[in-house]
Short mmCIF file of all heavy atoms in Angstrom, two decimals:
data_model
loop_
_atom_site.label_atom_id
_atom_site.label_comp_id
_atom_site.label_asym_id
_atom_site.label_seq_id
_atom_site.Cartn_x
_atom_site.Cartn_y
_atom_site.Cartn_z
N THR A 283 -274.96 -59.83 -95.56
CA THR A 283 -275.78 -60.77 -94.81
C THR A 283 -277.23 -60.32 -94.87
O THR A 283 -277.53 -59.12 -94.83
CB THR A 283 -275.31 -60.89 -93.35
OG1 THR A 283 -276.13 -61.84 -92.65
CG2 THR A 283 -275.36 -59.57 -92.61
N LEU A 284 -278.14 -61.30 -94.98
CA LEU A 284 -279.57 -61.03 -94.99
C LEU A 284 -280.20 -61.58 -93.71
O LEU A 284 -279.80 -62.62 -93.20
CB LEU A 284 -280.25 -61.69 -96.19
CG LEU A 284 -279.76 -61.34 -97.60
CD1 LEU A 284 -280.68 -61.99 -98.63
CD2 LEU A 284 -279.71 -59.84 -97.80
N ASN A 285 -281.23 -60.88 -93.24
CA ASN A 285 -281.95 -61.28 -92.04
C ASN A 285 -283.03 -62.30 -92.38
O ASN A 285 -283.77 -62.13 -93.35
CB ASN A 285 -282.57 -60.03 -91.41
CG ASN A 285 -283.49 -60.34 -90.25
OD1 ASN A 285 -284.66 -60.68 -90.45
ND2 ASN A 285 -282.98 -60.23 -89.05
N VAL A 286 -283.13 -63.37 -91.57
CA VAL A 286 -284.22 -64.34 -91.72
C VAL A 286 -284.80 -64.70 -90.35
O VAL A 286 -284.07 -64.78 -89.37
CB VAL A 286 -283.78 -65.63 -92.45
CG1 VAL A 286 -283.52 -65.35 -93.91
CG2 VAL A 286 -282.55 -66.24 -91.82
N HIS A 287 -286.12 -64.90 -90.32
CA HIS A 287 -286.85 -65.39 -89.15
C HIS A 287 -287.51 -66.70 -89.56
O HIS A 287 -288.60 -66.69 -90.14
CB HIS A 287 -287.94 -64.40 -88.73
CG HIS A 287 -287.46 -63.08 -88.24
ND1 HIS A 287 -287.02 -62.08 -89.08
CD2 HIS A 287 -287.34 -62.58 -86.98
CE1 HIS A 287 -286.67 -61.02 -88.36
NE2 HIS A 287 -286.84 -61.30 -87.09
N PRO A 288 -286.91 -67.84 -89.28
CA PRO A 288 -287.37 -69.09 -89.91
C PRO A 288 -288.63 -69.73 -89.33
O PRO A 288 -289.06 -70.77 -89.84
CB PRO A 288 -286.18 -70.04 -89.68
CG PRO A 288 -285.05 -69.18 -89.24
CD PRO A 288 -285.65 -68.01 -88.56
N ALA A 289 -289.25 -69.15 -88.31
CA ALA A 289 -290.24 -69.89 -87.52
C ALA A 289 -291.44 -70.39 -88.32
O ALA A 289 -292.00 -71.44 -88.00
CB ALA A 289 -290.75 -69.00 -86.39
N ASP A 290 -291.88 -69.67 -89.36
CA ASP A 290 -293.11 -70.03 -90.05
C ASP A 290 -292.91 -70.93 -91.26
O ASP A 290 -293.83 -71.11 -92.07
CB ASP A 290 -293.85 -68.76 -90.48
CG ASP A 290 -294.46 -68.03 -89.29
OD1 ASP A 290 -294.70 -68.70 -88.26
OD2 ASP A 290 -294.67 -66.82 -89.37
N GLY A 291 -291.72 -71.50 -91.38
CA GLY A 291 -291.51 -72.47 -92.45
C GLY A 291 -291.53 -71.85 -93.83
O GLY A 291 -291.28 -70.66 -94.02
N ILE A 292 -291.88 -72.67 -94.82
CA ILE A 292 -291.91 -72.23 -96.22
C ILE A 292 -293.37 -72.30 -96.67
O ILE A 292 -293.96 -73.37 -96.75
CB ILE A 292 -291.04 -73.14 -97.12
CG1 ILE A 292 -289.70 -73.43 -96.45
CG2 ILE A 292 -290.86 -72.48 -98.49
CD1 ILE A 292 -288.86 -72.21 -96.13
N ARG A 293 -293.94 -71.13 -96.97
CA ARG A 293 -295.37 -71.07 -97.28
C ARG A 293 -295.60 -70.84 -98.77
O ARG A 293 -294.66 -70.58 -99.51
CB ARG A 293 -296.02 -69.98 -96.43
CG ARG A 293 -296.00 -70.32 -94.94
CD ARG A 293 -296.23 -69.12 -94.06
NE ARG A 293 -295.15 -68.15 -94.16
CZ ARG A 293 -295.21 -66.91 -93.67
NH1 ARG A 293 -296.32 -66.51 -93.05
NH2 ARG A 293 -294.20 -66.09 -93.80
N ARG A 294 -296.83 -70.91 -99.18
CA ARG A 294 -297.16 -71.01 -100.60
C ARG A 294 -296.78 -69.78 -101.42
O ARG A 294 -296.68 -69.86 -102.64
CB ARG A 294 -298.65 -71.31 -100.79
CG ARG A 294 -299.59 -70.24 -100.27
CD ARG A 294 -301.05 -70.60 -100.57
NE ARG A 294 -301.99 -69.57 -100.14
CZ ARG A 294 -302.65 -69.60 -99.00
NH1 ARG A 294 -302.45 -70.61 -98.15
NH2 ARG A 294 -303.50 -68.64 -98.68
N HIS A 295 -296.54 -68.63 -100.75
CA HIS A 295 -296.19 -67.44 -101.51
C HIS A 295 -294.71 -67.39 -101.88
O HIS A 295 -294.31 -66.52 -102.68
CB HIS A 295 -296.54 -66.18 -100.71
CG HIS A 295 -295.65 -65.94 -99.54
ND1 HIS A 295 -295.71 -66.70 -98.39
CD2 HIS A 295 -294.66 -65.01 -99.34
CE1 HIS A 295 -294.80 -66.26 -97.54
NE2 HIS A 295 -294.15 -65.23 -98.08
N GLU A 296 -293.92 -68.29 -101.33
CA GLU A 296 -292.48 -68.24 -101.57
C GLU A 296 -292.13 -68.81 -102.95
O GLU A 296 -292.72 -69.82 -103.39
CB GLU A 296 -291.72 -69.05 -100.50
CG GLU A 296 -291.97 -68.61 -99.08
CD GLU A 296 -291.23 -67.33 -98.72
OE1 GLU A 296 -290.62 -66.70 -99.62
OE2 GLU A 296 -291.26 -66.96 -97.53
N GLU A 297 -291.13 -68.22 -103.61
CA GLU A 297 -290.69 -68.74 -104.90
C GLU A 297 -290.17 -70.17 -104.79
O GLU A 297 -290.32 -70.97 -105.72
CB GLU A 297 -289.58 -67.83 -105.46
CG GLU A 297 -290.07 -66.46 -105.88
CD GLU A 297 -288.95 -65.56 -106.37
OE1 GLU A 297 -287.77 -65.99 -106.31
OE2 GLU A 297 -289.24 -64.44 -106.84
N ALA A 298 -289.59 -70.50 -103.66
CA ALA A 298 -289.02 -71.85 -103.49
C ALA A 298 -290.07 -72.87 -103.06
O ALA A 298 -289.74 -74.06 -102.95
CB ALA A 298 -287.89 -71.80 -102.46
N TYR A 299 -291.30 -72.43 -102.80
CA TYR A 299 -292.28 -73.34 -102.21
C TYR A 299 -292.51 -74.61 -103.02
O TYR A 299 -292.49 -75.72 -102.45
CB TYR A 299 -293.62 -72.62 -101.98
CG TYR A 299 -294.72 -73.55 -101.57
CD1 TYR A 299 -294.78 -74.06 -100.28
CD2 TYR A 299 -295.70 -73.95 -102.48
CE1 TYR A 299 -295.78 -74.94 -99.89
CE2 TYR A 299 -296.72 -74.82 -102.11
CZ TYR A 299 -296.75 -75.32 -100.82
OH TYR A 299 -297.74 -76.20 -100.45
N PRO A 300 -292.75 -74.57 -104.34
CA PRO A 300 -293.05 -75.82 -105.05
C PRO A 300 -291.95 -76.87 -104.87
O PRO A 300 -292.25 -78.05 -104.60
CB PRO A 300 -293.18 -75.38 -106.50
CG PRO A 300 -293.59 -73.94 -106.43
CD PRO A 300 -292.85 -73.40 -105.25
N GLU A 301 -290.69 -76.47 -105.02
CA GLU A 301 -289.60 -77.44 -104.88
C GLU A 301 -289.51 -77.96 -103.46
O GLU A 301 -289.31 -79.17 -103.24
CB GLU A 301 -288.26 -76.78 -105.26
CG GLU A 301 -288.00 -76.69 -106.75
CD GLU A 301 -286.55 -76.28 -106.98
OE1 GLU A 301 -286.26 -75.08 -106.86
OE2 GLU A 301 -285.73 -77.17 -107.28
N VAL A 302 -289.65 -77.09 -102.49
CA VAL A 302 -289.54 -77.51 -101.10
C VAL A 302 -290.69 -78.45 -100.74
O VAL A 302 -290.49 -79.48 -100.08
CB VAL A 302 -289.52 -76.29 -100.16
CG1 VAL A 302 -289.57 -76.74 -98.70
CG2 VAL A 302 -288.28 -75.45 -100.41
N ALA A 303 -291.89 -78.10 -101.19
CA ALA A 303 -293.05 -78.95 -100.89
C ALA A 303 -292.85 -80.35 -101.45
O ALA A 303 -293.06 -81.35 -100.77
CB ALA A 303 -294.32 -78.31 -101.46
N ARG A 304 -292.43 -80.43 -102.73
CA ARG A 304 -292.21 -81.76 -103.30
C ARG A 304 -291.11 -82.52 -102.54
O ARG A 304 -291.21 -83.74 -102.34
CB ARG A 304 -291.82 -81.62 -104.78
CG ARG A 304 -293.02 -81.34 -105.69
CD ARG A 304 -292.64 -81.45 -107.16
NE ARG A 304 -291.76 -80.34 -107.58
CZ ARG A 304 -292.22 -79.19 -108.08
NH1 ARG A 304 -293.53 -79.00 -108.23
NH2 ARG A 304 -291.38 -78.25 -108.44
N ALA A 305 -290.07 -81.81 -102.08
CA ALA A 305 -288.96 -82.47 -101.39
C ALA A 305 -289.41 -83.11 -100.08
O ALA A 305 -288.84 -84.12 -99.67
CB ALA A 305 -287.84 -81.47 -101.13
N VAL A 306 -290.43 -82.54 -99.44
CA VAL A 306 -290.88 -83.10 -98.16
C VAL A 306 -292.18 -83.89 -98.31
O VAL A 306 -292.79 -84.25 -97.30
CB VAL A 306 -291.04 -81.98 -97.10
CG1 VAL A 306 -289.71 -81.29 -96.84
CG2 VAL A 306 -292.11 -80.98 -97.50
N GLY A 307 -292.61 -84.14 -99.54
CA GLY A 307 -293.77 -85.00 -99.76
C GLY A 307 -295.11 -84.30 -99.72
O GLY A 307 -296.13 -84.94 -99.45
N ILE A 308 -295.14 -82.99 -99.99
CA ILE A 308 -296.39 -82.25 -100.02
C ILE A 308 -296.70 -81.87 -101.47
O ILE A 308 -295.82 -81.45 -102.22
CB ILE A 308 -296.30 -80.97 -99.15
CG1 ILE A 308 -296.16 -81.34 -97.67
CG2 ILE A 308 -297.50 -80.05 -99.37
CD1 ILE A 308 -295.94 -80.16 -96.75
N ASP A 309 -297.95 -82.01 -101.86
CA ASP A 309 -298.39 -81.61 -103.19
C ASP A 309 -298.41 -80.08 -103.25
O ASP A 309 -299.17 -79.45 -102.51
CB ASP A 309 -299.78 -82.16 -103.47
CG ASP A 309 -300.30 -81.76 -104.85
OD1 ASP A 309 -299.55 -81.09 -105.61
OD2 ASP A 309 -301.46 -82.10 -105.16
#
Side-chain angles (χ1 to χ4, degrees):
T283 181
L284 303 186
N285 173 277
V286 289
H287 295 78
D290 288 336
I292 316 301
R293 294 162 295 169
R294 62 177 182 263
H295 71 287
E296 303 283 8
E297 291 177 355
Y299 172 75
E301 280 191 281
V302 174
R304 282 190 290 269
V306 299
I308 293 175
D309 179 3

